[in-house]
Amino acid sequence: MIVMAEGAAVVGMNSGQEGKMSYANNSSFQKAIASATKQARQEMAAALYRSKGRPASMAIANLGCATGPNALLTVTDAVEAVLAECQQSNGSNSNAVELQVFLNDLPGNDFNAVFRLLPTSPLAATGRCLVSAWPGSFYGRIFPEASLDYVVSSSSLHFLSSPPPLYHDNHQLNRGRIYISSGSPEVVLDTYAAQFHADFSAFLRCRSPEMRPGGLLLATFVARRTSCPTAHDCYIWDLLADALMDMAAAGLVDEEQVHAFNAPYYSPSPDDLLRAIDNEGSFSVRTMRLFEITRRHLIITSSNKVDQQEMEEELLPRQLAIETACTIRAVVEPMMRNHFGWADMDALFSRYCLRLEAYYLDKDTRNKDDITNVFLVLEKKQHHNCY
Amino acid sequence: MIVMAEGAAVVGMNSGQEGKMSYANNSSFQKAIASATKQARQEMAAALYRSKGRPASMAIANLGCATGPNALLTVTDAVEAVLAECQQSNGSNSNAVELQVFLNDLPGNDFNAVFRLLPTSPLAATGRCLVSAWPGSFYGRIFPEASLDYVVSSSSLHFLSSPPPLYHDNHQLNRGRIYISSGSPEVVLDTYAAQFHADFSAFLRCRSPEMRPGGLLLATFVARRTSCPTAHDCYIWDLLADALMDMAAAGLVDEEQVHAFNAPYYSPSPDDLLRAIDNEGSFSVRTMRLFEITRRHLIITSSNKVDQQEMEEELLPRQLAIETACTIRAVVEPMMRNHFGWADMDALFSRYCLRLEAYYLDKDTRNKDDITNVFLVLEKKQHHNCY
């Protein structure tokens, strides 16, 4: 997922050229998040196909598809669910539905890498999919009028269209931090929340004419449970800010540049979401479910040897720190490079990794890598007032 | 434009990584070919918009868009013509049409490079275009049912889906040649013509359900005037075959590999085209115009100094040879690399360039680089028999 600010991309995943640090090779956590909602997404895809009277074609979109294997994951889930439903009723595949699969991300996304996966993908194997890519920011119009039935967006909507305007009279308002922190001044939370409200409202306003009545929008992204963020809601960015300030103290980066950097990111509360949805007016909420996701079980194998379990337990904080640092690096490196202009991020991310390890070793936050996500399902109303 | 043979790409332009030899930097001839039909294409786009009753949206596709600046050229022409027509009737842009622009080429095409041109392209400047890419071979289905109004294809349809099967009992039938030659056995012409007939028929059969009734298909590609090709119809490939045989004589390539290579290319006669169109049945011919294109005027400047004119005249054969070799190299290098497996094509193309220069110096073919193209405009019939 890449987000534009006044024409310039400010959020983009690391491309395939970054190799070991590429998003394609560091997106297993995003895959785990998608897996958590797979069954619900598939049931809703099948139910939508039924409720539309088993139409001859259905259009499925992925907004902020990014690159690598995840780009096709959630649309493949939907396609498989619809085809299974179709086959169940037809008895054979002969009159199967035609599925239009629309992929979206910014023009700078690595779509080539996604297209090269297509010929050998499960989508191609169905023989029923027409796949296309629609480059552009999803905070603007992307698709033709009334062209979409089922829209998924995974780990994308927490990215803002641009960093919030946190300066006043040439003075940076979020000094030493790069996101909301539990100790940050009220203006920081308010400015972030206002930016999210504007962006998420624009997102809904642009999708509204693109979606057919009764169509579903299924989005999963980072969120929080409370209006006032907890310290753990902010630790990912707090520790990265600490690592940046370490770099400044060591003379490796200009401290003013750290003060001036604010991540174009926001993890909304349920209230934030409901306010924007209500304000826009053309969608009703079918599901809003918060859930926690951790990579602990991805790291700990299901070994039944007690020795191995103990060893893994011992190594877990370090493993969690390494994996988290890689995930965050693949996502934030392009935006940091844009702001700080460094060619090599190793110095920053090795500091970050040490701080993450300390966090996972601390008795109060021992191995606590849980991230809250929201699974939000909106239905396009049959009729709604014009905005 | 890239064409697949049983899942493997056999025709693809040189990508941006080839730098000086890339298609993006060696496609000015293809641009000149497109320019020759610009006015007619624009008039037909405007007329189609009028005849459809000035609809709220129109879908414009480019089949075999390739990469580099040409990818957006012909769709931009169409968009500008429709918007001019729209503005003329509306007086203002306020109720302007929404234009859906569909780009197609094989999954291996460099779509990233095309997408990166978009934000600063004339298409984006209109504020009326939704652009998407649809990867896949145009000899198969690409687009949804009845989704297209105006389809262009430029310098692509002379590429076959695969090389024609020119072997019999383990014996190569087109020895020492890589395409039809004026001296080649009848079976070579027949096999090439049959392959073209099957491919072009498949192309029309796949477009038929995708195009709306009354929709236009405007294609420009290499063709010939007579059923039996002339020597000049074949010289581009004849001289490349000669260069390959030189390489074989010098021990730089296995002669059997030359015998086994046949270009997946065919320049049809009007009869070839009419037979396939008639056979498929759902399109009527609006225009079939043959025209010659040369790069002589691209090389000779409009200088009015007699000295300079004479010098340019003197240098012309060499210049034509260099430019032609570059154009052909950008197009055929990937398919030759696929067959011959060389990393470096310099040895082949320097030999080719010398042979081209000799051709352009010969008194019978002095500076004769003219290539015949066909400008074919087909209209999707309102009703047609099912196939």
Side-chain angles (χ1 to χ4, degrees):
Chain A
M1 167 55 206
I2 305 180
V3 181
M4 291 245 235
E6 289 162 19
V10 293
V11 179
M13 308 298 100
N14 263 345
S15 78
Q17 288 165 344
E18 264 68 39
K20 217 174 58 175
M21 289 303 153
S22 71
Y23 178 77
N25 288 332
N26 290 281
S27 47
S28 58
F29 196 51
Q30 287 86 347
K31 183 178 174 182
I33 293 168
S35 304
T37 60
K38 178 173 174 175
Q39 196 189 337
R41 285 186 285 106
Q42 291 201 310
E43 284 170 6
M44 290 189 201
L48 182 64
Y49 172 66
R50 280 196 305 272
S51 74
K52 287 177 70 74
R54 304 178 183 277
S57 76
M58 240 177 95
I60 294 167
N62 183 0
L63 300 178
C65 65
T67 190
N70 286 356
L72 301 176
L73 191 69
T74 51
V75 289
T76 302
D77 291 342
V79 162
E80 286 174 352
V82 172
L83 289 183
E85 182 66 30
C86 177
Q87 206 153 8
Q88 208 168 25
S89 62
N90 284 356
S92 88
N93 229 351
S94 58
N95 282 317
V97 63
E98 174 186 273
L99 293 166
Q100 298 159 23
V101 175
F102 299 152
L103 305 173
N104 156 261
D105 212 308
L106 266 208
N109 184 52
D110 189 357
F111 283 105
N112 283 357
V114 181
F115 287 168
R116 271 149 213 182
L117 297 174
L118 278 180
T120 56
S121 70
L123 292 180
T126 67
R128 297 287 165 190
C129 294
L130 302 172
V131 182
S132 55
W134 300 70
S137 164
F138 58 40
Y139 294 122
R141 278 294 300 274
I142 302 286
F143 301 101
E145 201 89 4
S147 59
L148 306 177
D149 294 302
Y150 180 96
V151 179
V152 282
S153 178
S154 218
S155 298
S156 289
L157 275 161
H158 43 242
F159 291 117
L160 301 172
S161 68
S162 63
L166 280 167
Y167 44 81
H168 185 69
D169 284 345
N170 280 330
H171 182 73
Q172 298 298 338
L173 300 175
N174 199 22
R175 300 177 70 81
R177 300 292 90 192
I178 62 175
Y179 178 58
I180 302 160
S181 172
S182 50
S184 56
E186 207 166 317
V187 64
V188 173
L189 177 54
D190 291 350
T191 309
Y192 262 103
Q195 173 89 44
F196 177 81
H197 184 78
D199 283 345
F200 194 64
S201 299
F203 173 82
L204 295 174
R205 204 161 46 239
C206 290
R207 294 301 78 72
S208 175
E210 295 172 355
M211 290 184 68
R212 296 172 181 152
L216 295 182
L217 172 60
L218 304 90
T220 306
F221 48 100
V222 184
R224 64 180 196 268
R225 292 185 175 272
T226 52
S227 292
C228 197
T230 65
H232 187 69
D233 284 329
C234 312
Y235 88 102
I236 287 283
W237 299 101
D238 262 338
L239 299 181
L240 190 55
D242 290 343
L244 277 165
M245 290 301 279
D246 289 351
M247 298 276 285
L252 296 171
V253 54
D254 176 12
E255 193 178 317
E256 279 306 312
Q257 277 200 300
V258 181
H259 299 328
F261 181 77
N262 292 293
Y265 167 95
Y266 184 74
S267 61
S269 69
D271 275 356
D272 288 328
L273 294 170
L274 291 172
R275 207 174 309 125
I277 295 162
D278 192 50
N279 175 60
E280 193 276 329
S282 55
F283 292 90
S284 55
V285 178
R286 281 262 294 255
T287 302
M288 185 184 294
R289 181 159 63 82
L290 294 166
F291 63 100
E292 267 66 38
I293 197 101
T294 163
R295 67 178 87 231
R296 285 191 297 274
H297 65 279
L298 297 176
I299 292 171
I300 298 184
T301 65
S302 54
S303 170
N304 49 13
K305 292 181 194 144
V306 176
D307 283 4
Q308 193 170 336
Q309 277 181 358
E310 275 174 10
M311 193 187 72
E312 282 172 348
E313 191 62 37
E314 184 70 28
L315 292 173
L316 191 53
R318 173 128 200 86
Q319 276 301 107
L320 284 175
I322 291 168
E323 299 267 339
T324 303
C326 285
T327 299
I328 300 300
R329 180 172 182 169
V331 171
V332 307
E333 188 166 325
M335 60 171 107
M336 306 212 84
R337 207 187 285 273
N338 211 35
H339 182 86
F340 294 101
W342 306 326
D344 182 13
M345 294 269 156
D346 289 347
L348 173 64
F349 285 95
S350 59
R351 280 171 171 81
Y352 182 46
C353 192
L354 288 174
R355 287 188 168 272
L356 284 167
E357 188 180 357
Y359 188 82
Y360 298 135
L361 281 167
D362 188 289
K363 71 174 171 31
D364 291 335
T365 51
R366 174 102 191 159
N367 295 334
K368 186 172 162 63
D369 77 324
D370 311 64
I371 298 273
T372 304
N373 273 257
V374 63
F375 177 48
L376 181 66
V377 183
L378 302 180
E379 181 178 328
K380 174 77 191 298
K381 292 178 185 169
Q382 297 289 334
H383 303 286
H384 71 95
N385 298 328
C386 288
Y387 45 85
Chain B
M1 167 54 206
I2 305 180
V3 181
M4 291 245 236
E6 289 162 19
V10 294
V11 178
M13 309 297 100
N14 263 344
S15 78
Q17 289 165 344
E18 264 68 39
K20 218 173 59 174
M21 289 303 153
S22 71
Y23 178 78
N25 288 331
N26 290 282
S27 47
S28 59
F29 196 52
Q30 286 86 346
K31 183 179 174 180
I33 293 168
S35 304
T37 60
K38 178 174 173 174
Q39 196 188 337
R41 284 185 285 105
Q42 291 201 309
E43 284 170 7
M44 290 189 202
L48 181 64
Y49 173 65
R50 279 196 305 272
S51 74
K52 287 177 69 73
R54 304 178 184 277
S57 76
M58 240 176 95
I60 294 167
N62 184 0
L63 300 178
C65 65
T67 190
N70 286 357
L72 302 176
L73 191 69
T74 50
V75 289
T76 301
D77 290 343
V79 162
E80 285 174 352
V82 172
L83 289 183
E85 182 66 31
C86 177
Q87 205 153 10
Q88 208 168 26
S89 62
N90 285 355
S92 88
N93 230 352
S94 57
N95 281 318
V97 63
E98 174 187 272
L99 293 165
Q100 297 159 23
V101 175
F102 299 152
L103 305 173
N104 156 260
D105 212 309
L106 266 208
N109 185 52
D110 190 356
F111 283 105
N112 282 357
V114 180
F115 287 168
R116 270 149 214 183
L117 296 174
L118 278 180
T120 55
S121 70
L123 292 180
T126 67
R128 296 287 164 191
C129 294
L130 302 172
V131 182
S132 55
W134 300 70
S137 163
F138 58 41
Y139 294 122
R141 278 294 301 274
I142 301 287
F143 301 101
E145 202 88 3
S147 60
L148 306 176
D149 294 302
Y150 180 96
V151 179
V152 283
S153 178
S154 217
S155 297
S156 289
L157 275 161
H158 43 242
F159 291 117
L160 302 172
S161 67
S162 63
L166 280 167
Y167 43 82
H168 185 70
D169 284 345
N170 280 330
H171 183 73
Q172 298 299 339
L173 300 175
N174 198 22
R175 300 177 70 79
R177 300 292 91 192
I178 61 174
Y179 178 58
I180 302 159
S181 171
S182 49
S184 56
E186 207 166 317
V187 64
V188 173
L189 177 54
D190 291 350
T191 309
Y192 262 104
Q195 172 89 43
F196 177 81
H197 184 79
D199 283 345
F200 194 64
S201 299
F203 173 82
L204 296 174
R205 203 161 45 239
C206 291
R207 295 300 78 71
S208 175
E210 296 172 355
M211 290 184 67
R212 296 172 181 152
L216 294 182
L217 172 60
L218 304 91
T220 306
F221 48 99
V222 184
R224 64 180 197 267
R225 292 185 175 273
T226 52
S227 293
C228 197
T230 65
H232 186 69
D233 285 328
C234 313
Y235 88 102
I236 287 281
W237 299 100
D238 263 337
L239 299 181
L240 190 54
D242 290 343
L244 277 165
M245 290 301 279
D246 290 350
M247 298 277 284
L252 296 171
V253 54
D254 175 12
E255 193 179 316
E256 279 306 311
Q257 276 201 299
V258 181
H259 299 329
F261 180 77
N262 292 293
Y265 166 95
Y266 184 74
S267 61
S269 69
D271 274 357
D272 289 326
L273 293 169
L274 291 172
R275 207 174 310 125
I277 295 162
D278 193 50
N279 174 60
E280 192 277 328
S282 55
F283 292 91
S284 56
V285 178
R286 281 262 294 254
T287 302
M288 185 184 294
R289 181 160 64 80
L290 294 166
F291 62 100
E292 267 67 37
I293 198 100
T294 163
R295 67 178 87 231
R296 285 191 298 275
H297 65 278
L298 296 177
I299 292 171
I300 298 183
T301 65
S302 55
S303 170
N304 49 14
K305 291 180 194 145
V306 176
D307 282 4
Q308 192 170 337
Q309 276 181 359
E310 276 173 9
M311 193 187 72
E312 282 172 348
E313 192 63 36
E314 184 70 27
L315 292 173
L316 191 54
R318 173 128 200 85
Q319 276 301 107
L320 284 175
I322 291 168
E323 300 267 340
T324 303
C326 285
T327 299
I328 300 300
R329 180 172 182 170
V331 172
V332 307
E333 189 166 325
M335 61 172 108
M336 306 212 84
R337 207 187 286 272
N338 211 35
H339 182 86
F340 293 102
W342 305 325
D344 182 13
M345 294 269 157
D346 288 347
L348 173 64
F349 284 95
S350 60
R351 279 170 171 82
Y352 182 47
C353 191
L354 288 174
R355 287 188 168 272
L356 284 166
E357 188 180 357
Y359 188 82
Y360 297 135
L361 281 167
D362 188 289
K363 71 174 171 30
D364 291 335
T365 51
R366 174 103 192 158
N367 295 333
K368 185 172 161 63
D369 77 324
D370 311 64
I371 298 273
T372 304
N373 274 257
V374 62
F375 177 48
L376 181 66
V377 183
L378 302 180
E379 182 179 327
K380 174 77 191 297
K381 292 178 186 170
Q382 298 289 334
H383 302 285
H384 71 94
N385 298 329
C386 289
Y387 45 85

